[in-house]
Amino acid sequence: MSVTTTSLQTSDSKAVRAARAALDHRRRGLRALLPFLGPAFVACVAYIDPGNYATNIQSGSQFGYRLLWVVVLANLMAMLIQHLSAKLGIATGKSLPEMCRDHFPQWLTYVMWAFSEVAAMATDIAEFLGATVGLNLLLHIPMLWGTLVTGVVTYLILTLDRLGFRPLEKFITAFVLIIALCYVVETAFSKPNWGEVAYHSVVPWLGNQAAVLLAVGVIGATVMPHVVYLHSSLTQNRIQPRDEEDKVKIARFSAKEVAIAMSLAGLVNLSMMFMAASVFHNTGHTGIADISTAYKILTPLLGPASAAVFLISLLASGFSSSAVGTMAGQVIMQGFVGFTIPLWLRRVITMIPTVIIVALGINPTETLVLSQVVLSIVLPMPVVALIYFTRRPDIMGRLVNRRLTTWVASFCAAVIVALNMLLLYLSFGGSF
């Protein structure tokens, strides 16, 4: 074993020892929370992926600040769903796909697996395209070569998992912080109207069918089925609980981490939209519908530095979310059907659709919209399954949902299902 590998695995051991100290009340405050940080930050990457860039920028440019409340609503729902997923892994020691395989009929398990694999591939298309477009605009790398560079970079990120859970968590968290920092800079450049931001973050508005379609798209781009599956896997064996009391304590630390990570993702999404509102909508550029156009218009409006920061955040988002999507694909296959394929092979298979799309010159934005439609079809399955398991005391023990939690989660599921059905209806030419 190399010195590097040994040191990184020792880092894992240190994290486990620090977590034990926190569970035994020998570490308190922030020091107690630190060893539990990681899984939610990995999961939250899916909430700031290139699909969010597209929907947030389009919403902000077309309707200004008026759809900010949708971002807040979507993030609150996502926070609850990710908390339940993390809690399931802690309580059962199994991932959500594994629980489905154990408790559902075999035919249903295979149906869920097939749909989930399609969702993982659709997710990867959006994430892969985002990184590829970023490389093309920032470094002028041809789109086709950009797909290959993205594939290599995301595979190298994923190989960190061989060295223990901590290095990969730290690396992904670093990407999240880079994205957040970029949007702190973008906020300074764009100078939003904070009164408008505060008002429209809490006051709902849906003025017409286009606004409804974009609002549904924002929610569809926020709550991702693959990361609902993934989060339960990230927590299932990370810190082994010694008894039920340990499970309760770990779940409390996890709840705090989810709140921090998802709040950060929510703030990034808000800043994406209000930046577009301030820079594009308020200057008459209300038809921004894709990332490339946003970059080209951003350059003369705020200068090349702002445009470069925007692309750096897009690259960080594309690379990290694509890596997380591949991780989720492995969890989905292993959990539902009990076998895995080599990581490099999954990386190659899931990038093939993107390579074909780029080679054929298909519009990336149209492809991204289609991928969101696919995700809308699949999303209800993991959310409903998650609520079903976490409400059962025979499965969850002391971590079973409170009745109010189940009711709120069920309401969120109903809203998600209804809005996703509306998205499908509108996407295929429906109107009201």
Side-chain angles (χ1 to χ4, degrees):
M1 184 181 291
S2 69
V3 175
T4 302
T5 302
T6 303
S7 63
L8 288 170
Q9 290 186 338
T10 300
S11 174
D12 272 7
S13 300
K14 288 180 179 178
V16 172
R17 289 197 297 271
R20 294 282 180 218
L23 295 175
D24 295 336
H25 303 290
R26 290 182 283 113
R27 289 170 67 106
R28 298 183 182 278
L30 180 60
R31 291 183 66 248
L33 179 61
L34 286 176
F36 296 93
L37 298 181
F41 281 90
V42 173
C44 86
V45 166
Y47 293 89
I48 46 177
D49 74 353
N52 295 89
Y53 278 65
T55 54
N56 288 328
I57 289 171
Q58 187 175 358
S59 299
S61 66
Q62 188 168 350
F63 294 107
Y65 300 99
R66 288 178 286 186
L67 292 181
L68 287 173
W69 68 273
V70 180
V71 176
V72 175
L73 175 63
N75 196 251
L76 290 174
M77 291 193 296
M79 192 179 296
L80 175 59
I81 291 168
Q82 293 305 139
H83 167 63
L84 294 183
S85 180
K87 191 171 68 166
L88 179 70
I90 295 166
T92 64
K94 295 183 178 182
S95 67
L96 178 56
E98 289 173 328
M99 293 296 294
C100 292
R101 186 179 67 186
D102 290 347
H103 292 269
F104 293 160
Q106 187 178 55
W107 67 268
L108 180 57
T109 299
Y110 275 92
V111 169
M112 293 181 71
W113 170 57
F115 275 95
S116 300
E117 288 284 7
V118 171
M121 192 170 290
T123 301
D124 201 53
I125 289 174
E127 295 160 349
F128 225 83
L129 281 174
T132 302
V133 169
L135 287 170
N136 175 255
L137 294 174
L138 184 64
L139 302 177
H140 307 293
I141 297 175
M143 289 285 288
L144 191 57
W145 284 104
T147 61
L148 302 179
V149 172
T150 302
V152 171
V153 171
T154 53
Y155 175 74
L156 292 176
I157 294 172
L158 289 166
T159 58
L160 291 174
D161 191 46
R162 300 174 183 175
L163 307 175
F165 66 81
R166 208 56 174 161
L168 182 58
E169 288 178 352
K170 289 180 178 178
F171 202 84
I172 297 295
T173 301
F175 272 113
V176 173
L177 296 178
I178 288 171
I179 297 167
L181 180 61
C182 286
Y183 270 91
V184 170
V185 175
E186 290 290 7
T187 299
F189 275 120
S190 61
K191 299 177 182 177
N193 184 322
W194 292 110
E196 292 284 307
V197 171
Y199 178 80
H200 289 291
S201 293
V202 295
V203 178
W205 175 89
L206 288 174
N208 52 40
Q209 180 172 318
V212 173
L213 183 58
L214 275 175
V216 175
V218 168
I219 294 175
T222 300
V223 186
M224 292 290 193
H226 71 290
V227 81
V228 177
Y229 290 123
L230 177 64
H231 204 157
S232 58
S233 173
L234 295 173
T235 58
Q236 68 180 115
N237 293 313
R238 189 175 181 275
I239 306 296
Q240 288 283 0
R242 294 163 294 192
D243 50 32
E244 287 293 309
E245 186 61 31
D246 266 7
K247 290 181 180 180
V248 172
K249 293 177 182 177
I250 294 171
R252 287 173 182 165
F253 282 117
S254 174
K256 294 177 182 178
E257 192 220 359
V258 168
I260 294 169
M262 296 306 299
S263 294
L264 181 61
L267 289 172
V268 170
N269 279 313
L270 282 172
S271 62
M272 287 181 192
M273 190 178 290
F274 67 59
M275 183 273 285
S278 177
V279 176
F280 300 137
H281 183 79
N282 289 352
T283 57
H285 297 87
T286 59
I288 308 297
D290 61 74
I291 293 170
S292 298
T293 304
Y295 166 74
K296 292 172 184 176
I297 295 179
L298 195 62
T299 303
L301 290 179
L302 294 183
S306 174
V309 169
F310 170 74
L311 290 184
I312 290 170
S313 72
L314 179 63
L315 278 175
S317 169
F319 287 147
S320 56
S321 60
S322 187
V324 169
T326 306
M327 291 169 58
Q330 290 287 75
V331 168
I332 287 167
M333 176 178 283
Q334 184 174 359
F336 278 120
V337 294
F339 66 88
T340 58
I341 59 176
L343 194 61
W344 68 267
L345 181 58
R346 173 168 288 278
R347 178 66 284 171
V348 170
I349 291 173
T350 54
M351 67 183 283
I352 287 174
T354 307
V355 174
I356 293 173
I357 289 167
V358 172
L360 294 178
I362 299 174
N363 185 291
T365 301
E366 292 178 1
T367 305
L368 193 150
V369 171
L370 180 60
S371 73
Q372 299 305 314
V373 172
V374 173
L375 293 176
S376 299
I377 299 172
V378 180
L379 180 59
M381 289 190 297
V383 174
V384 172
L386 182 63
I387 296 171
Y388 170 74
F389 289 126
T390 54
R391 67 181 291 274
R392 289 180 53 175
D394 58 321
I395 290 175
M396 298 296 292
R398 290 179 59 185
L399 292 181
V400 67
N401 291 345
R402 296 178 180 177
R403 183 173 297 181
L404 178 60
T405 302
T406 297
W407 278 105
V408 174
S410 299
F411 174 76
C412 290
V415 170
I416 290 170
V417 170
L419 291 179
N420 282 325
M421 292 303 101
L422 178 60
L423 176 60
L424 292 176
Y425 172 72
L426 296 175
S427 297
F428 288 105
S431 60
F432 57 87

